[in-house]
Amino acid sequence: HNFGSAQRAFNWAHAMGEQLASSWWRVRDVYDMLWKMVIRPPRDLYTEEELGPDKFRLGKKVFIRRDLELTSSRGQLKCSHFLPAKGTSEARPCVVYLHGNCSSRLEAFDALPVLLPQDVSVFSMDLSGSGRSDGEYISLGYHEEQDLRTCLEFLRELPTVSSFGLWG
């Protein structure tokens, strides 16, 4: 009789241990999924066509988009510089648009109607791990600072940029 009670207790403890282990793995799986969503959120993939035409009109003024690639410590950065079609050799202020998490340089399109008519050029990029740029993950600012530094170094060398500001 004591042997049966001991066996039932053992069976119960074993079953509880399996449930706890199973629960632990479920918690761990959810945790893994959550942190991966933070550093590797769904990438905002887009086609080149979604960048729109290289030349476009806002009101009565015509503007152009120059696409380029810069190399940062994490790989190639896909960038676009928006500026007036006329007077492209004149120095003017430039706003560097930094997109949000799970986004891309397409986000800068909302700022174009505000900035371009004020004779301010706009520079946007896909930060590492975002859009069409290289990189497997985002770092919520840690590595993106280097991406920004790469862009600012490029812009400082352009005779067409008199000063710059950041948006984002």
Side-chain angles (χ1 to χ4, degrees), residues 11 15 17 31 38 52 56 58 74 80 92 120 127 130 135 144 159 167:
N11 289 344
Y31 174 78
V38 170
F56 59 97
L58 287 174
R74 294 180 66 200
S80 295
R92 64 181 35 86
V120 175
L127 294 163
S130 300
E144 289 77 8
W167 181 330

Side-chain angles (χ1 to χ4, degrees), residues 57-155:
R57 182 181 301 277
L58 287 174
K60 295 180 180 182
K61 294 184 179 179
V62 178
F63 300 92
I64 59 172
R65 185 191 79 245
R66 291 185 177 154
D67 295 329
L68 59 138
E69 286 186 14
L70 298 177
T71 303
S72 79
S73 60
R74 294 180 66 200
Q76 295 296 307
L77 301 174
K78 303 289 185 170
C79 309
S80 295
H81 194 182
F82 300 89
L83 53 161
K86 291 184 179 178
T88 56
S89 61
E90 296 173 22
R92 64 181 35 86
C94 178
V95 168
V96 178
Y97 189 97
L98 302 168
H99 65 75
N101 191 10
C102 303
S103 194
S104 67
R105 63 183 156 156
L106 294 180
E107 188 179 303
F109 287 13
D110 293 338
L112 298 180
V114 175
L115 297 169
L116 291 176
Q118 302 303 316
D119 205 31
V120 175
S121 69
V122 177
F123 189 89
S124 64
M125 70 182 129
D126 290 334
L127 294 163
S128 293
S130 300
R132 299 177 66 87
S133 287
D134 291 346
E136 289 301 313
Y137 60 90
I138 61 170
S139 66
L140 302 175
Y142 184 76
H143 291 293
E144 289 77 8
E145 180 182 345
Q146 181 58 45
D147 295 345
L148 175 59
R149 183 175 289 117
T150 299
C151 290
L152 295 180
E153 288 169 359
F154 169 78
L155 291 171

Side-chain angles (χ1 to χ4, degrees), residues 14-56:
H14 182 70
M16 290 307 294
E18 285 183 356
Q19 281 184 330
L20 286 173
S22 176
S23 294
W24 165 250
W25 287 112
R26 279 193 295 263
V27 168
R28 184 172 165 221
D29 289 345
V30 169
Y31 174 78
D32 284 347
M33 180 188 67
L34 289 174
W35 76 261
K36 286 178 183 174
M37 285 177 60
V38 170
I39 67 162
R40 184 61 262 158
R43 197 175 193 118
D44 184 17
L45 296 175
Y46 58 90
T47 64
E48 292 287 328
E49 290 77 32
E50 289 177 88
L51 289 170
D54 293 343
K55 195 173 192 179
F56 59 97

